[in-house]
Amino acid sequence: DADVTQTPRNRITKTGKRIMLECSQTKGHDRMYWYRQDPGLGLRLIYYSFDVKDINKGEISDGYSVSRQAQAKFSLSLESAIPNQTALYFCATSAGRSGQETQYFGPGTRLLVL
Amino acid sequence: AQSVTQLDSHVSVSEGTPVLLRCNYSSSYSPSLFWYVQHPNKGLQLLLKYTSAATLVKGINGFEAEFKKSETSFHLTKPSAHMSDAAEYFCVLNNAGNMLTFGGGTRLMVKP
């Protein structure tokens, strides 16, 4: 089984709808992240969480919110989806805080906002 | 501020020929640097990482990268491309606190 899973894998929604993307991990890591990927821009950080009680905004948090329900679960919500939020979304996890730890990525959720 | 520039958005090579994917970085601190690969419809997989030990880093699938501080570069190479190497590759900088800065990606195409 995959260490980092994301649901759904694909989602089509309409402008103004609220949607939630979910991430679960079995690696036992404290740190979890949400990124979005747009062509030519690499991945950009939306939110990150260093433990259940620690949530932080990333580079592009506007229009998004997150919830860390447990060490293993980290959800991303779009309160009112808009077309420019169409992207590929990745969840990632890591252990420790030295700055050298590898981040492990889920398979991604492809979101289309009409 | 830190940044990562991947100098080529697309690279095309023939199977069996060398691969060179170029990456330059800007950082105020001693960075950790990574190369990740993304195959179609897959997540990102770590190829290799530099963490201030040896400047020549060997990774999986025959890839390696050399950290050159004087040139602020971390180019990825492989002596002989294989069809299965076709994917998108990301050079990634980790300055501190596990915050990653991604390059824009290089799509590698391998011709038979």
Side-chain angles (χ1 to χ4, degrees):
Chain A
D1 287 339
D3 294 321
V4 184
T5 57
Q6 293 183 234
T7 56
R9 293 293 312 277
N10 294 278
R11 178 74 184 268
I12 301 173
T13 191
K14 294 182 179 180
T15 297
K17 295 291 188 181
R18 182 181 188 276
I19 66 163
M20 179 182 290
L21 310 182
E22 298 185 338
C23 176
S24 295
Q25 53 113 348
T26 59
K27 299 189 74 68
H29 289 165
D30 286 328
R31 297 186 164 201
M32 298 187 74
Y33 311 80
W34 275 105
Y35 295 89
R36 66 176 278 174
Q37 182 181 17
D38 299 281
L41 296 179
L43 275 69
R44 292 179 292 165
L45 184 64
I46 306 172
Y47 270 95
Y48 60 101
S49 170
F50 285 173
D51 63 42
V52 174
K53 296 182 180 180
D54 181 48
I55 305 287
N56 303 279
K57 292 182 178 181
E59 180 186 353
I60 52 165
S61 59
D62 287 348
Y64 301 95
S65 62
V66 291
S67 172
R68 185 82 184 266
Q69 300 95 324
Q71 186 204 37
K73 295 185 181 296
F74 192 37
S75 300
L76 176 72
S77 293
L78 285 67
E79 298 300 328
S80 179
I82 57 177
N84 77 359
Q85 292 178 312
T86 293
L88 186 55
Y89 290 84
F90 286 101
C91 174
T93 74
S94 70
R97 57 180 63 209
S98 74
Q100 299 180 354
E101 285 80 17
T102 299
Q103 289 193 15
Y104 296 88
F105 289 82
T109 294
R110 192 171 297 278
L111 175 66
L112 173 62
V113 182
L114 300 174
Chain B
Q2 63 256 26
S3 65
V4 178
T5 302
Q6 292 182 241
L7 298 165
D8 307 292
S9 59
H10 293 80
V11 170
S12 180
V13 301
S14 297
E15 190 174 22
T17 64
V19 176
L20 170 64
L21 305 183
R22 298 182 294 165
C23 172
N24 286 106
Y25 70 91
S26 174
S27 173
S28 303
Y29 306 95
S30 296
S32 296
L33 289 157
F34 305 76
W35 276 98
Y36 281 86
V37 60
Q38 183 181 26
H39 290 278
N41 300 314
K42 300 285 188 181
L44 280 73
Q45 178 186 19
L46 180 70
L47 275 180
L48 51 81
K49 65 179 181 180
Y50 165 77
T51 57
S52 73
T55 57
L56 182 62
V57 183
K58 294 187 183 299
I60 62 172
N61 300 333
F63 284 95
E64 63 182 36
E66 186 171 8
F67 175 74
K68 292 187 177 180
K69 186 175 181 179
S70 61
E71 299 177 10
T72 61
S73 69
F74 190 58
H75 300 336
L76 181 71
T77 61
K78 183 174 180 177
S80 177
H82 191 274
M83 294 297 292
S84 61
D85 294 328
E88 188 155 23
Y89 292 78
F90 292 96
C91 182
V92 183
L93 170 71
N94 188 342
N95 238 354
N98 241 10
M99 294 298 103
L100 301 184
T101 299
F102 283 76
T106 298
R107 185 166 298 279
L108 175 65
M109 293 167 283
V110 182
K111 297 175 290 186

